Structures are given as C-alpha cells and as structure tokens.
Amino acid sequence: DGGITQSPKYLFRKEGQNVTLSCEQNLNHDAMYWYRQDPGQGLRLIYYSQIVNDFQKGDIAEGYSVSREKKESFPLTVTSAQKNPTAFYLCDSSRQGNYGYTFGSGTRLTVV
Amino acid sequence: AQTVTQSQPEMSVQEAETVTLSCTYDTSENNYYLFWYKQPPSRQMILVIRQEAYKQQNATENRFSVNFQKAAKSFSLKISDSQLGDTAMYFCAFMRTNNNDMRFGAGTRLTVKP
C-alpha cells in the first residue's frame, strides 16, 4: 500500500544533541513538507521541497535542516540551535494539482 | 501572507445532532483551495473535504458539507448526524493555486457526547 512512513514514533533527545527524523513516501509525490504541531497553535511549516535537490524554508526554519537527495525521502534534522524542540512533527507529501496533503503518522520528540 | 483563523478552540455536540465549525481566512488571491482536516486521538491527519475557490457550489462528502462564502472569506464545516467517531481536532487550511504550501488554522477540538 502507498503511504508515508515516519520513524520513530517517539524520540527522546538530550539537550545539545542533534537528532534526525525520518520521512519516506512511496506515493511518487514530488512535493514533501515538514510541519511542527504545538498545543493550541495548529501546524506550522518548517521546510518544504517541491523537487529533488531543492527545498525552501517555511515559517519556523531556524534550528532545523533538511535534505532531499531522493524523491522518496525528506529527513529533518533538529539541531542543538533549536531552542524549544519538544513537539509533534508531521511529514506529508502532495501530488501536482492542489489535492491536499497525505500525512505521515508523526514523530513525538521530547528533549530530556 | 495568508492567515487562517478558527475562532472556536473547543466545541461539543450531542450524538446525532448537527454542528458547525467556523473558519475565516485572509488572502488577496482570487484562486485558491480550502480544506478541512480531521485529527483524531491517534494524531493521524485525515482529509475531510476540499473546496476550490472558483467553484460556487459548496463541497459535500457524505455527512460533511461546507458553507463557502468567498466574499466574506468564510469556510465553515457542517457535520450532520454527529457520531462518536467524529470526536477529534479539526483544522481548516488554505492553499494557493500553483503553490502547494499550505497554511493551517489553530484547530477546533470537537467532542461528540453520547
């Protein structure tokens, strides 16, 4: 079955450490996105990529980095520069035509 | 920049009743797309309904329908015959044409009571 896989589901990180969240899709979608979800704030865009080897900053890109070396993969690295990284992270993708997003099941990141 | 506002942080409805969730947005674009997403306790985001701004007819998907008022920049979601499984967070979202960058509202937490 086609879909988006985010791993791991839960992730714990010590302060000062970088951590990478995985996102893989087999839907043949060109565009992929990373959103952060905090209570009461909805979803905020971190980074997005419309095509392989190209990506754009979203509204809250500071402290995050991404890569898009393959169409299927769009990993997100939360760096030590991110001051408040504890949140729920959603990866999603879309095909051409404004049909909306297909979402992964999310990764809950907790800094300990 | 486009903004999406959901003015109702929480709502509740009795099972089998009808409830309407509000959403307004701000844009200078003429062509765009609007969406409602449902996020149940599993936190999996599920597309509920989609509306194209150039279509005057309101979108409908089974028990879910929208009231799209383009001039007022309003996009409310009506859920008829509410079911316990409708309990979830509901997010309104805006997408410009030819730009898949989507903007979300803060969400409305809906509880369906037995």
Side-chain angles (χ1 to χ4, degrees):
Chain A
D1 289 337
I4 296 182
T5 301
Q6 287 188 245
S7 61
K9 193 172 181 67
Y10 298 96
L11 190 57
F12 296 88
R13 188 196 90 176
K14 292 183 179 180
E15 280 193 40
Q17 288 182 339
N18 292 354
V19 64
T20 298
L21 282 60
S22 171
C23 179
E24 303 279 334
Q25 56 102 356
N26 60 4
L27 299 164
N28 200 33
H29 286 175
D30 288 311
M32 297 186 73
Y33 312 81
W34 275 104
Y35 283 87
R36 170 181 171 141
Q37 184 177 16
D38 296 282
Q41 294 194 47
L43 280 70
R44 292 182 291 168
L45 182 64
I46 304 172
Y47 267 99
Y48 64 101
S49 169
Q50 304 273 29
I51 195 170
V52 174
N53 291 323
D54 186 52
F55 48 83
Q56 308 295 328
K57 292 183 178 180
D59 298 326
I60 55 166
E62 184 175 353
Y64 300 97
S65 66
V66 294
S67 64
R68 187 83 187 278
E69 297 177 0
K70 298 186 300 182
K71 188 175 186 178
E72 301 79 16
S73 179
F74 191 42
L76 174 74
T77 297
V78 184
T79 74
S80 57
Q82 169 52 233
K83 299 304 180 187
N84 186 22
T86 294
F88 186 65
Y89 291 86
L90 279 162
C91 176
D92 45 272
S93 69
S94 68
R95 60 187 172 103
Q96 296 298 325
N98 304 107
Y99 292 98
Y101 291 172
T102 299
F103 282 87
S105 56
T107 293
R108 175 68 184 177
L109 173 65
T110 302
V111 174
V112 296
Chain B
Q2 288 74 25
T3 59
V4 180
T5 302
Q6 293 179 250
S7 59
Q8 305 151 315
E10 294 187 17
M11 293 191 72
S12 63
V13 63
Q14 291 296 133
E15 193 175 8
E17 297 291 311
T18 296
V19 64
T20 298
L21 308 184
S22 300
C23 174
T24 59
Y25 56 93
D26 182 28
T27 184
S28 58
E29 306 280 339
N30 188 50
N31 294 321
Y32 47 87
Y33 296 81
L34 296 162
F35 304 84
W36 279 98
Y37 280 88
K38 170 184 177 180
Q39 187 181 44
S42 67
R43 305 201 79 170
Q44 178 70 53
M45 294 284 281
I46 302 165
L47 178 63
V48 174
I49 203 164
R50 170 179 176 267
Q51 174 81 41
E52 296 153 322
Y54 64 86
K55 289 187 176 180
Q56 292 187 343
Q57 185 175 6
N58 289 325
T60 299
E61 288 288 341
N62 301 314
R63 297 182 295 107
F64 298 87
S65 62
V66 298
N67 183 3
F68 174 47
Q69 301 290 328
K70 190 173 184 179
K73 297 181 182 177
S74 171
F75 184 61
S76 61
L77 175 69
K78 185 173 79 171
I79 305 174
S80 304
D81 185 24
S82 296
Q83 300 175 0
L84 297 178
D86 294 335
T87 292
M89 284 288 290
Y90 287 83
F91 292 97
C92 179
F94 172 100
M95 177 189 284
R96 288 182 295 166
T97 303
N98 296 324
N99 184 331
N100 286 348
D101 175 7
M102 190 178 290
R103 292 289 184 260
F104 290 83
T108 295
R109 183 177 301 280
L110 176 67
T111 301
V112 180
K113 298 180 178 179

